[in-house]
């Protein structure tokens, strides 16, 4: 690897004859396989050489994080003495970051054990109860446990415990969330999670059984908020804006088509793998986490061409089976928050106004278009992966043309 990066004999000899040369070369090769650019490797190699001269890697001993920090301080003092830097903050952070990644790769880093959050055993038992006895989806379990953990951490900071907790403390936590700008829907989700937890905690005699009944969130009305997405003309304009040769645009075009044509959720898009594409039969397999099953869709020609172009021209050749990866190394699968930033940024650039400018707005736009095309609610629900028609019927309110026809018909009989 050194001979690939360096051509001057003296520079090459310095790297080859330095401490832990084999370990440094293995790590550089590992980074290269992960897609690191040549310029990145050129800057990484001298950093590894400086680290190896200040941290002794004898007989595979584990290195404590404190030892890495002390070595970083020595490196900063050395650079200041030779007037290479003005401030040592960036140099120190880079040294620690690089050394930590290298030692972790070698298996010689003594990892700091994370401090266990308060009441972690109670949350774990609640998690097991929701999964094994209630049979809830992983997404629902994660959300409920997240709310409960946040409340219990706050409760611990107040110097209180679950067995002596009062409803006034729940009200105080709700007031805190409201001050932080939480919406009524989020507050209702929090109340439901805490109510579920304290109902279980009461059955386990961790606290009073009366607590759960006293937890009330804001009242929500059925279908009080209509699902709102951009107009279909704006969706088409959004997709046309990605018709370039830019790697980001090529990847994002495939993502936007999946969101708009199939109405997929962001979590369903980022969960796609290479195995979910059946090119022989033109089938797309979508994992539905709520139904805990796979749903098959015919692979539309335009969507298939966009995905194929991304695979051939942009997607890096790495071991990961995830379909959508980051453009730059280190290559990682995209997450749901990445899609929210992607869609929201592109909508703002095109001045497309939308109440909620994330990936779910394209799902609403897809459903609204299907309603306008005259598909039944059952067909729309099947396309969107709804478990029941109850979740789909709100889109009937969005079809203003049909509602006006009904109103005209009714008024015609009365007048």
């Amino acid at each position: 690897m050194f001979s690939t990066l360096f051509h001057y004999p003296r520079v090459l000899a310095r790297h080859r004859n330095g401490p832990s040369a084999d370990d440094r070369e293995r790590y550089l090769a590992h980074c290269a396989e992960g897609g690191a650019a040549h310029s990145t490797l050129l800057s990484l190699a001298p950093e590894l050489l400086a680290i190896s001269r200040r941290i002794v890697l004898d007989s595979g001993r584990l290195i404590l994080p404190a030892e890495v920090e002390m070595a970083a301080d020595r490196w900063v003092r050395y650079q200041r003495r030779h007037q290479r830097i003005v401030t040592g903050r960036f140099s120190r952070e880079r040294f620690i970051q690089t050394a930590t990644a290298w030692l972790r790769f070698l298996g010689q880093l003594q990892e700091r054990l994370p401090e266990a959050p308060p009441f972690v055993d109670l949350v774990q038992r609640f998690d097991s109860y929701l999964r094994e006895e209630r049979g809830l989806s992983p997404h629902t379990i994660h959300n409920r446990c997240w709310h409960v953990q946040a409340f219990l951490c706050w409760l611990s900071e107040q110097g209180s415990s679950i067995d002596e907790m009062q409803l006034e403390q729940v009200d105080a936590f709700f007031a805190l969330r409201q001050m932080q700008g939480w919406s009524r829907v989020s507050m209702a989700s929090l109340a439901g999670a805490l109510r579920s937890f304290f109902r279980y905690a009461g059955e386990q005699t961790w606290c009073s059984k009366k607590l759960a009944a006293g937890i009330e969130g804001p009242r929500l009305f059925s279908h009080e908020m209509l699902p709102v997405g951009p107009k279909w003309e704006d969706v088409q304009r959004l997709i046309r804006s990605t018709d370039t040769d830019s790697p980001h645009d090529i990847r994002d075009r495939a993502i936007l088509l999946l969101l708009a044509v199939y109405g997929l959720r962001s979590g369903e898009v980022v969960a796609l793998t290479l195995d979910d594409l059946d090119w022989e039969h033109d089938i797309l397999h979508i994992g539905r986490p709520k139904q805990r099953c796979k749903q098959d869709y015919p692979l539309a020609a335009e969507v298939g061409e966009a995905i194929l172009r991304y695979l051939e021209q942009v997607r890096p050749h790495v071991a990961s089976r995830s379909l959508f990866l980051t453009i730059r190394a280190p290559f990682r699968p995209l997450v749901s928050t990445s899609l929210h930033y992607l869609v929201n940024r592109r909508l703002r650039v095109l001045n497309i106004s939308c109440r909620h400018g994330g990936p779910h707005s394209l799902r609403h736009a897809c459903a609204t278009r299907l309603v306008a095309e005259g598909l039944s609610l059952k067909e729309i629900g099947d396309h969107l992966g709804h478990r029941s028609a109850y979740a789909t019927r709100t889109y009937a309110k969005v079809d203003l043309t049909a509602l006006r026809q009904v109103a005209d018909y009714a008024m015609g009989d009365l007048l």
Side-chain angles (χ1 to χ4, degrees):
M1 193 69 202
F2 291 142
S3 59
T4 305
L5 295 174
F6 307 107
H7 303 291
Y8 290 103
R10 291 181 60 184
V11 176
L12 183 58
R14 182 165 63 245
H15 283 273
R16 280 180 171 170
N17 298 331
S20 306
D22 292 340
D23 291 334
R24 286 185 286 116
E25 197 162 21
R26 278 199 302 123
Y27 183 63
L28 288 170
H30 167 74
C31 294
E33 291 175 2
H38 185 77
S39 58
T40 302
L41 298 175
L42 279 175
S43 64
L44 179 60
E47 194 78 19
L48 291 175
L49 181 60
I51 294 168
S52 67
R53 288 173 173 171
R54 287 158 183 82
I55 300 178
V56 180
L57 304 178
D58 288 339
S59 62
R61 70 183 181 93
L62 295 178
I63 308 299
L64 294 171
E67 186 175 348
V68 175
E69 293 172 0
M70 291 172 61
D73 293 334
R74 292 197 301 271
W75 173 238
V76 169
R77 287 195 298 269
Y78 173 83
Q79 289 186 302
R80 279 176 175 164
R81 252 191 337 264
H82 291 78
Q83 298 181 351
R84 295 179 179 176
I85 58 173
V86 176
T87 174
R89 178 182 174 184
F90 173 77
S91 181
R92 186 177 188 274
E93 290 178 353
R94 176 174 168 79
F95 185 100
I96 293 175
Q97 182 182 13
T98 305
T100 300
W102 181 38
L103 293 172
R104 185 177 288 122
F105 168 77
L106 297 176
Q108 291 186 240
L109 179 67
Q110 180 67 60
E111 301 277 3
R112 284 194 180 102
L113 295 176
E115 184 179 351
F119 313 109
V120 63
D121 56 328
L122 304 185
V123 179
Q124 289 175 348
R125 292 173 64 178
F126 180 57
D127 181 291
S128 300
Y129 161 73
L130 295 178
R131 183 177 61 257
E132 297 171 5
E133 298 187 32
R134 294 290 308 281
L136 300 182
S137 71
H139 182 73
T140 301
I141 295 173
H142 175 269
N143 284 345
R144 290 194 182 183
C145 289
W146 184 85
H147 283 302
V148 170
Q149 185 68 66
F151 172 76
L152 293 179
C153 287
W154 174 85
L155 189 66
S156 177
E157 293 171 357
Q158 307 304 308
S160 185
S161 61
I162 188 173
D163 57 342
E164 59 187 24
M165 198 196 75
Q166 303 294 324
L167 276 175
E168 289 77 11
Q169 292 170 299
V170 178
D171 294 337
F173 186 69
F174 281 12
L176 174 64
R177 289 308 197 204
Q178 286 180 326
M179 289 177 58
Q180 293 172 344
W182 281 35
S183 67
R184 291 169 58 249
V185 174
S186 298
M187 294 297 298
S189 177
L190 169 62
L194 294 184
R195 192 160 47 242
S196 174
F197 172 74
F198 283 108
R199 188 181 299 116
Y200 173 72
E203 295 172 355
Q204 304 299 314
T205 68
W206 299 341
C207 63
S208 170
K209 293 185 177 180
K210 298 179 180 179
L211 279 175
I215 298 176
E216 296 182 356
R219 186 173 181 181
L220 300 179
F221 301 94
S222 180
H223 308 312
E224 61 177 293
M225 296 293 290
L226 288 176
V228 178
K231 297 178 181 178
W232 192 250
E233 294 77 10
D234 289 333
V235 174
Q236 291 175 316
R237 187 157 58 95
L238 175 67
I239 295 173
R240 283 197 302 269
S241 69
T242 62
D243 192 12
T244 72
D245 294 328
S246 162
H248 281 92
D249 285 344
I250 293 174
R251 183 200 62 185
D252 294 354
R253 180 179 180 83
I255 292 174
L256 293 174
L257 283 170
L258 287 169
L259 293 169
V261 174
Y262 296 102
L264 300 183
R265 304 175 179 91
S266 59
E268 294 165 347
V269 173
V270 298
L272 286 172
T273 67
L274 298 176
D275 302 318
D276 291 325
L277 294 162
D278 184 351
W279 296 105
E280 183 178 354
H281 302 96
D282 288 337
I283 296 294
L284 177 64
H285 307 293
I286 301 297
R288 297 295 189 185
K290 291 188 175 182
Q291 292 88 336
R292 301 178 184 85
C293 67
K294 288 276 189 179
Q295 187 173 356
D296 293 343
Y297 286 89
L299 187 58
E302 186 176 4
V303 179
E305 290 172 1
I307 295 175
L308 189 60
R309 186 186 182 198
Y310 162 69
L311 293 175
E312 292 178 343
Q313 300 181 19
V314 176
R315 187 184 185 277
H317 300 286
V318 294
S320 174
R321 301 296 294 173
S322 295
L323 178 58
F324 294 110
L325 305 175
T326 55
I327 297 296
R328 295 182 179 179
F331 301 114
R332 300 180 303 273
L334 294 184
V335 295
S336 297
T337 50
S338 305
L339 264 61
H340 187 278
Y341 171 77
L342 180 158
V343 175
N344 186 268
R345 177 177 58 84
R346 289 185 174 277
L347 288 174
R348 283 190 284 106
V349 167
L350 296 174
N351 293 321
I352 298 176
S353 60
C354 189
R355 184 188 301 162
H356 302 292
H360 221 69
S361 65
L362 300 184
R363 178 176 170 86
H364 293 325
C366 172
T368 305
R369 172 171 167 76
L370 295 178
V371 170
E373 292 293 325
L375 274 72
S376 68
L377 293 183
K378 175 66 169 61
E379 292 170 326
I380 298 172
D382 290 342
H383 184 79
L384 297 178
H386 287 162
R387 287 179 293 180
S388 67
Y390 182 84
T392 315
R393 66 181 187 178
T394 184
Y395 290 106
K397 288 186 175 183
V398 183
D399 189 4
L400 298 180
T401 302
L403 290 177
R404 287 193 182 98
Q405 291 177 353
V406 173
D408 291 342
Y409 176 78
M411 294 299 293
D413 286 348
L414 292 174
L415 297 178

